[in-house]
Amino acid sequence: MKARDKPTGQKVKSILDRYQRDSGMLVSVLQDVQAEYNYLPKKSLAQVSQGLDVPLTQVYSVATFFKAFSLKPRGRHIINVCLGTACHVRGAVGIREEIERELDIKPGETTKDFKYTMETVNCVGACALGPIVIIDGKYSGQMKTDKVKPLLESYD
Amino acid sequence: MVTLTIDGREVQAEEGTTILEAARESNIYIPTLCYHEEVTPYGACRLCLVEVARNGREKLVASCLYEVAEGLRVKTNSERIASNRKMIMELLLARCPNNKAIQDLARQLGVEKTSFKLEDKQCILCALCVRVCQEVVGVSAISLVNRGVDRQMATPFYEPSDVCIGCGACAYVCPTGAIGFEDVGDTRYIHWPNNKMEFKLRKCKTCGNYWAPEKQLDYIIKKANLSPDAFDNCPDCRD
Ligand code: SF4
Ligand code: FES
Ligand code: FES
């Protein structure tokens, strides 16, 4: 997928068709739109609302409720830093700060070149391996601050 | 019809109705904030909690949601209910310490002060406005957005709504008066807790008074299939 694909009505239309415009599939439709664009473009929320015949208010509520959805464009790589208790006591905050310094973004933000988005989670259930950083779903355990830079650089 | 007991009193109620409705039928008072008979109950405020006995165990339930059943035993005023309700009231008071409706209800329930951290909100997120706009007005201009501590009542994207007709039903029904609503000259202002909108009012052809939002009148004309000039005059000037 190209990084900055412009939202087009056609792609959302085929997603809507795939779910037969069933309003009960709102969350699945939004997941697919998000997978397509990496975020939920405003225009496509209106299109989903029309296509499923669900009020825009409800689409917007769902889109802003789940953490997995983003209304802002996100980077090609999603970094998740675990700040759960176990990771926290093993220095997760230092790891987060190192990533903030390296990329010049805060949690929830995206780098200007749309390469990385950083987010935080509270425990991913792998506490024994903490502190944990997950990039694009791949887990890196026992993180140290000096391992942050090489890890980030291994993505393009 | 089913028979249940509320506070030791035998009460008849239609199947499918809620404990709250059955209690009101029998003039038994249960405090509520988010309930309105015109819309689907939502169970947001939890003030309406009562105790029901099931399999020998008593549990607390929201009476606006819990349906009546044959032989159900309900208490509306036990120690346990009172202390839980006071706790809920304290939380509401901490959220809206400067809200008149919340202050009054707190006082009525014997809550003078709250031990929780104070905020300064007016909206309790009961979604009554949301439900009325959708179910009664038939519009759905507003909803609850975000989650957790960021939860708010707003229009999509916090932008002026395309579909809002400026009827003010949301302001009218709000139990805490969190929605501002004012007509000044030829304009109606609606102030929701997190964004606002303006509406042009229509001028009466006879007396010249501005009397209702253009959008609302157009909406009614369309919905009820009326002639386009049906609302040229205000109700006072109509023959
Ligand atoms: S004023 Fe707008 S938001 Fe409020 S009930 Fe009427 S249509 Fe809905
Ligand atoms: S605290 Fe990080 S995985 Fe549990
Ligand atoms: S009236 Fe039942 S929860 Fe608000």
Side-chain angles (χ1 to χ4, degrees):
Chain A
M1 191 192 66
K2 279 198 266 103
R4 303 285 83 232
D5 268 359
K6 272 265 171 325
T8 64
Q10 204 46 48
K11 284 190 178 150
V12 175
K13 188 173 169 292
S14 59
I15 294 171
L16 288 165
D17 290 343
R18 188 152 66 228
Y19 291 100
Q20 276 127 35
R21 308 193 170 239
D22 174 358
S23 62
M25 301 306 284
L26 175 59
V27 173
S28 303
V29 168
L30 292 180
Q31 276 173 334
D32 286 12
V33 175
Q34 164 116 356
E36 186 65 54
Y37 298 114
N38 233 341
Y39 77 111
L40 296 173
K42 197 167 159 186
K43 258 184 25 201
S44 54
L45 290 188
Q47 199 183 342
V48 167
S49 153
Q50 271 185 349
L52 299 183
D53 197 18
V54 168
L56 183 60
T57 43
Q58 207 183 313
V59 176
Y60 184 77
S61 285
V62 170
T64 56
F65 185 82
F66 293 105
K67 235 188 145 184
F69 294 134
S70 169
L71 296 189
K72 285 185 294 187
R74 302 207 299 166
R76 292 198 303 283
H77 302 296
I78 310 294
I79 307 168
N80 251 306
V81 185
C82 180
L83 294 180
T85 313
C87 290
H88 192 104
V89 297
R90 292 183 183 161
V93 172
I95 304 292
R96 190 199 71 207
E97 285 167 353
E98 182 64 15
I99 299 174
E100 288 178 356
R101 246 192 318 274
E102 268 309 312
L103 302 179
D104 196 22
I105 51 173
K106 296 251 172 278
E109 291 178 354
T110 299
T111 54
K112 285 206 189 63
D113 58 1
F114 289 105
K115 186 163 171 189
Y116 302 103
T117 295
M118 172 169 42
E119 268 151 18
T120 62
V121 291
N122 294 319
C123 193
V124 293
C127 307
L129 305 177
I132 285 191
V133 172
I134 307 148
I135 303 186
D136 298 343
K138 192 167 166 281
Y139 288 62
S140 303
Q142 289 164 4
M143 277 305 290
K144 300 205 168 57
T145 43
D146 58 0
K147 285 209 252 167
V148 164
K149 197 165 180 224
L151 178 67
L152 291 176
E153 279 169 355
S154 69
Y155 289 84
D156 55 26
Chain B
M1 279 294 194
V2 298
T3 308
L4 62 157
T5 50
I6 305 182
D7 297 338
R9 229 168 92 191
E10 267 200 11
V11 165
Q12 302 260 318
E14 201 104 26
E15 225 159 304
T17 56
T18 62
I19 294 176
L20 178 64
E21 286 162 338
R24 293 219 164 157
E25 270 308 298
S26 320
N27 291 320
I28 296 167
Y29 173 73
I30 298 173
T32 62
L33 273 174
C34 72
Y35 174 79
H36 195 289
E37 64 261 24
E38 291 298 325
V39 295
T40 317
Y42 189 68
C45 75
R46 304 322 266 194
L47 276 175
C48 69
L49 54 88
V50 298
E51 239 173 335
V52 296
R54 257 264 156 106
N55 310 326
R57 287 186 57 187
E58 306 209 303
K59 61 174 186 174
L60 292 170
V61 299
S63 64
C64 68
L65 293 174
Y66 202 95
E67 283 183 12
V68 296
E70 185 62 41
L72 191 70
R73 282 183 295 118
V74 181
K75 282 191 213 158
T76 72
N77 54 14
S78 68
E79 251 326 289
R80 185 169 168 217
I81 295 167
S83 73
N84 277 278
R85 190 172 282 149
K86 276 191 174 175
M87 174 70 82
I88 293 162
M89 204 58 238
E90 274 197 46
L91 286 162
L92 287 167
L93 190 59
R95 181 179 171 88
C96 314
N98 304 312
N99 183 280
K100 175 86 172 38
I102 296 293
Q103 288 169 347
D104 288 351
L105 190 57
R107 207 167 303 125
Q108 187 195 321
L109 295 176
V111 174
E112 298 294 339
K113 56 180 189 338
T114 176
S115 40
F116 298 100
K117 193 164 150 269
L118 296 188
E119 295 174 75
D120 187 14
K121 300 239 164 63
Q122 305 292 329
C123 170
I124 58 167
L125 301 172
C126 72
L128 192 49
C129 52
V130 171
R131 288 173 283 152
V132 164
C133 183
Q134 175 157 22
E135 297 177 29
V136 180
V137 186
V139 161
S140 192
I142 47 180
S143 62
L144 296 186
V145 307
N146 307 330
R147 80 189 287 171
V149 292
D150 296 323
R151 194 101 164 131
Q152 291 186 325
M153 181 280 235
T155 54
F157 309 101
Y158 293 77
E159 287 176 354
S161 159
D162 290 341
V163 293
C164 179
I165 57 173
C167 67
C170 49
Y172 176 77
V173 80
C174 176
T176 66
I179 302 175
F181 169 88
E182 201 186 4
D183 290 352
V184 185
D186 64 352
T187 310
R188 168 169 296 180
Y189 299 88
I190 295 190
H191 284 256
W192 295 298
N194 305 294
N195 57 325
K196 56 179 181 225
M197 267 183 90
E198 290 179 11
F199 297 87
K200 240 189 116 7
L201 295 174
R202 183 166 301 174
K203 193 176 189 161
C204 169
K205 277 210 165 139
T206 308
C207 69
N209 283 339
Y210 291 101
W211 65 283
E214 298 276 5
K215 280 194 180 158
Q216 182 180 4
L217 298 176
D218 292 345
Y219 180 77
I220 300 171
I221 286 172
K222 212 168 124 207
K223 261 223 150 155
N225 236 327
L226 304 176
S227 102
D229 59 6
F231 294 125
D232 281 358
N233 292 306
C234 74
D236 293 342
C237 296
R238 239 171 274 156
D239 34 48

